[in-house]
Every structure is written in C-alpha cells, then in structure tokens.
Amino acid sequence: MKREWDESYQKPTRNELKERLTTLSPDDGTFFQANCALYIENLEGKIAEWKKRMAVFKDISVLPTHNCWLYFVTAFGMKSTGYLEAKPGIPPSPKEIAALADKMKKEGTKIILAEPFYPSAAVDKISEMTGAKVVRIPSSALGVKAVSYTHLR
C-alpha cells in the first residue's frame, strides 16, 4: 500500500488541540486561536521553503534505513529502493544486504539515508558495495538544536 504524505494531515490535530485548549481555558480562546493561525502560517511557509530547496532531489532513488523516512521521502518526491531494515530493529542479513545492493545498482540508488545513531556496520557495507553516499540526518527536530521543526533550516 502506497502512503501519501500531506501536510494537511496535521490540520485536524492542530484544530482539535486548539479547540480542546479553548474548552479547558475559555478565557484564553482568542490567544489559542491567534497562536494556531500563526503556527499554521509559519508551517505552511516552511513547507513551501523546504519543498523548493529539496526540488533538486525529486525523483532520485534513495535507500532509507527503515520506514521512519516514509514521509520525508514521499514529501520531497523521492523514490525508495526499499529499506535497509525490513523489520524495525532487526539488522539486515548478509543475504538481504546483497539483494539490496543489487537492487540499488539496478535502480541507480546513490544515497543511503540514516539517522546519526544508526549502527554503521550494515550502512557502511552496502555503501561500500554500491558506492552510494551515506547521508546521516536526524529523523526529528529533537536530533538538532531547534525549538521545533519549523525552526529547522
């Protein structure tokens, strides 16, 4: 099943949070309303900025370590060759690494996406086998010095 990423998925959550806070503290409803609107405006601006900056990566093939990268890959129009970990937390076997390396070569995959904390053994091995570059980036705003993900560059 193909999942589509869409920033509008957050809109019901934002609105529910705003409404719940207003219910709990009616006197602050105007404050919650204004901050929600400001947040949405800032977020939509950041999403547009990120999509513009990431446009050069549209349609490239990448190998993420696992499916936590699904929304990132989808949001920016990349193609996933698969996942280094077929099951979360279970390192790939040598046979699985070899099969992924073959698939990466066939699909022209030149980038492996990995979190900074992800163990190096399998990532380095498949990089060595394919010549793909390992790009280590945090999978959340908590992995960098940012107040929230709208403060990411």
Side-chain angles (χ1 to χ4, degrees):
M1 172 173 84
K2 183 178 179 187
R3 296 184 201 165
E4 295 295 327
W5 180 85
D6 183 345
E7 59 270 11
S8 67
Y9 288 166
Q10 292 185 16
K11 288 180 183 173
T13 303
R14 293 186 302 241
N15 289 329
E16 285 177 31
L17 181 59
K18 174 190 68 186
E19 296 304 322
R20 183 71 176 134
L21 289 171
T22 300
T23 300
L24 293 172
S25 183
D27 292 343
D28 296 315
T30 304
F31 172 78
F32 298 136
Q33 189 82 5
N35 279 328
C36 184
L38 181 61
Y39 174 78
I40 291 169
E41 181 182 325
N42 288 338
L43 180 60
E44 288 174 352
K46 289 302 283 188
I47 290 169
E49 175 189 328
W50 295 330
K51 285 187 175 188
K52 184 177 178 180
R53 290 177 67 187
M54 293 296 291
V56 297
F57 297 102
K58 188 173 179 0
D59 295 324
I60 67 159
S61 181
V62 299
L63 177 72
T65 49
H66 47 78
N67 70 356
C68 80
W69 293 105
L70 172 68
Y71 294 113
F72 180 85
V73 168
T74 305
F76 299 115
M78 299 174 190
K79 298 174 186 171
S80 176
T81 300
Y83 298 108
L84 188 56
E85 284 186 356
K87 295 181 180 179
I90 300 174
S93 68
K95 184 178 178 180
E96 290 170 322
I97 289 173
L100 274 172
D102 287 344
K103 188 174 181 186
M104 288 174 69
K105 289 174 187 174
K106 287 177 189 165
E107 295 183 13
T109 304
K110 299 290 182 201
I111 296 176
I112 301 168
L113 294 177
E115 299 88 339
F117 60 81
Y118 193 85
S120 294
V123 172
D124 292 346
K125 181 65 176 171
I126 203 160
S127 173
E128 178 186 307
M129 293 171 73
T130 62
K133 179 179 173 130
V134 178
V135 178
R136 290 191 177 270
I137 54 176
S139 56
S140 75
L142 298 175
V144 293
K145 293 180 182 178
V147 177
S148 73
Y149 63 85
T150 58
H151 289 88
L152 296 173
R153 295 184 187 185

